[in-house]
Amino acid sequence: AALAETNTDMFSVALGAWLDSIASVFNRHAVPRLFALNPTLSTANGVPSFVYSDVETVDFAKFSQAWSTLAGVGFAFTPTDEDWLRRKVGMPARIEAET
């Protein structure tokens, strides 16, 4: 089981590197050329870019156990940490409390 998990991790890293490369080429060459071809497109808010989401799924049980262990030894999580955790495990975004 450990070997399969290691192979899956290595595949995810390799796939992520390919996706980085592909997105980089699109963002560097295709997007600027498309905007140059159509001057009616607004770039007031910047030019869009291609991004991809995580290529691997997180084992929620292992992930939550690790975070629980960190919290148990006094690790102080910041709101940025919580936002990252929520994205990683597919939870909805945190709602800021109104003051």
Side-chain angles (χ1 to χ4, degrees):
L3 180 58
E5 191 172 313
T6 301
N7 286 341
T8 301
D9 292 342
M10 289 174 37
F11 177 75
S12 296
V13 169
L15 186 57
W18 275 103
L19 291 173
D20 283 339
S21 178
I22 292 167
S24 175
V25 170
F26 272 95
N27 292 329
R28 190 173 338 117
H29 298 288
V31 173
R33 289 177 184 169
L34 286 172
F35 272 75
L37 288 173
N38 189 348
T40 62
L41 294 174
S42 172
T43 57
N45 295 328
V47 178
S49 61
F50 283 87
V51 295
Y52 61 93
S53 60
D54 285 339
V55 295
E56 63 182 327
T57 57
V58 174
D59 182 343
F60 188 76
K62 288 182 182 178
F63 207 73
S64 62
Q65 180 62 42
W67 278 68
S68 177
T69 301
L70 287 171
V73 295
F75 186 85
F77 294 104
T78 66
T80 304
D81 295 331
E82 182 183 347
D83 292 341
W84 178 84
L85 168 69
R86 287 174 170 274
R87 281 191 312 274
K88 194 74 172 166
V89 298
M91 292 173 63
R94 181 171 46 96
I95 298 174
E96 294 288 334
E98 294 183 23
T99 57

